[in-house]
């Protein structure tokens, strides 16, 4: 009973990770703040659905289609859809029309509905068609480079590409990593030091805000279904 996640990294520079999930007698979950937009496909009661998901700035409660099977694509930070600004997707998303087990519609065209092993091929087609685009400056900034433009320009382009500030991206990613480490058994003091939190209360506040869990709940696997793969079944 619950949500069963599996996540793998992608060799595509346009994709951060690909995930699958099945739900069993679950109707709601704790959502987790996230910095990436994505595409998600799910089957329930013989019907296939598709949607675009946006970055999430906080934790909350989200409905789960009972008995559904999901395939999701988390795109790399700095990529975006040509027809939908990422800022318009923050804390929201859209369901795509005319989805079947074979095809879905996006950006005025019909595309093959992918399985977990078909994601990179689909993304390649979306990129070649110009449906998925990216700002290379954002990728450079995330790699630690210092572009020859003003800080204001960097922040403006970062917001345009991601819908978030650089500070928000760092805070959310840090909290998610903290949750993974704590669930794996790392002591809170070690997590504070490793991720540069000021102290344990600072860590606790971040977890409540972005993950919706306490340190104890993460250690014990308590609190109900959570939209985060804490089993660390991450493959390449």
């Amino acid at each position: 009973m619950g949500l069963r996640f599996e996540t793998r990294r992608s060799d595509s520079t346009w994709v951060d990770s690909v995930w699958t999930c099945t739900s069993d007698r679950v109707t709601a979950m704790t959502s987790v703040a996230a910095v990436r937009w994505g595409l998600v496909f799910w089957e329930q009661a013989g019907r296939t659905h598709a949607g675009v998901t946006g970055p999430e700035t906080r934790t909350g409660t989200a409905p789960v289609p009972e008995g559904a099977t999901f395939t999701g694509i988390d795109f790399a930070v700095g990529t975006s859809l040509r027809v939908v600004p990422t800022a318009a997707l923050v804390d929201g998303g859209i369901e795509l029309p005319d989805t079947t087990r074979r095809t879905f519609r996006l950006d005025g065209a019909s595309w093959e509905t992918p399985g977990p092993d078909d994601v990179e091929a689909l993304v390649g087609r979306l990129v070649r068609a110009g449906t998925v685009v990216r700002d290379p400056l954002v990728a450079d900034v995330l790699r630690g480079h210092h572009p020859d433009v003003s800080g204001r320009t960097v922040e403006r382009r970062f917001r345009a590409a991601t819908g978030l500030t650089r500070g928000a991206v760092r805070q959310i990613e840090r909290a998610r990593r903290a949750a993974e480490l704590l669930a794996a058994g790392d002591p809170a003091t070690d997590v504070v030091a490793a991720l540069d939190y000021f102290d344990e209360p600072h860590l606790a506040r971040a977890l409540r805000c972005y993950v919706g869990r306490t340190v104890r709940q993460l250690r014990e696997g308590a609190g109900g279904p959570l939209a985060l793969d804490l089993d660390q079944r991450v493959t390449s």
Side-chain angles (χ1 to χ4, degrees):
M1 178 176 176
L3 297 177
R4 294 182 294 277
F5 279 97
E6 286 198 20
T7 305
R8 71 168 174 84
R9 300 302 181 195
S10 175
D11 58 7
S12 169
T13 60
W14 295 82
V15 177
D16 178 74
S17 59
V18 179
W19 56 271
T20 59
C21 178
T22 57
S23 64
D24 180 18
R25 289 179 286 170
V26 173
T27 58
M29 66 180 178
T30 300
S31 63
V32 177
V35 302
R36 294 169 179 82
W37 72 279
L39 291 174
V40 60
F41 307 88
W42 69 98
E43 291 190 14
Q44 181 196 30
R47 294 190 59 188
T48 303
H49 308 264
V52 182
T53 60
E56 297 182 56
T57 60
R58 57 188 177 274
T59 186
T61 301
V64 177
E66 189 173 2
T69 302
F70 301 84
T71 296
I73 310 168
D74 287 340
F75 283 82
V77 175
T79 64
S80 59
L81 278 171
R82 173 175 60 186
V83 293
V84 185
T86 306
L89 296 169
V90 173
D91 292 324
I94 56 175
E95 187 162 354
L96 298 176
D98 304 325
T99 301
T100 71
R101 185 170 291 183
R102 296 176 63 87
T103 63
F104 69 100
R105 291 193 65 80
L106 177 64
D107 195 15
S110 181
W111 309 89
E112 290 185 20
T113 304
D117 297 328
D118 307 319
V119 163
E120 282 77 11
L122 168 65
V123 171
R125 292 192 291 271
L126 293 171
V127 170
R128 289 191 293 273
T131 296
V132 174
V133 296
R134 67 177 164 197
D135 186 339
L137 180 143
V138 174
D140 286 346
V141 169
L142 291 172
R143 287 195 295 265
H145 297 169
H146 299 283
D148 189 20
V149 296
S150 70
R152 181 175 296 180
T153 296
V154 170
E155 191 62 43
R156 175 178 56 79
R157 287 176 60 175
F158 202 95
R159 269 185 170 273
T162 69
L164 305 169
T165 65
R166 284 185 288 169
V169 168
R170 179 177 181 272
Q171 291 171 24
I172 292 169
E173 290 281 74
R174 184 169 61 161
R176 290 172 66 97
R177 180 58 180 155
E180 294 167 353
L181 293 173
L182 291 163
D186 287 26
T189 52
D190 291 356
V191 174
V192 166
L195 299 182
D196 199 27
Y197 282 101
F198 183 74
D199 54 21
E200 289 190 44
H202 184 200
L203 167 64
R205 287 193 296 272
L207 292 172
R208 287 196 300 270
C209 178
Y210 298 122
V211 183
R213 291 289 186 272
T214 65
V215 172
R216 181 175 180 179
Q217 286 173 322
L218 288 164
R219 284 175 177 158
E220 297 176 354
L226 183 68
L228 187 64
D229 184 2
L230 294 178
D231 290 338
Q232 290 299 284
R233 294 188 300 274
V234 178
T235 59
S236 57

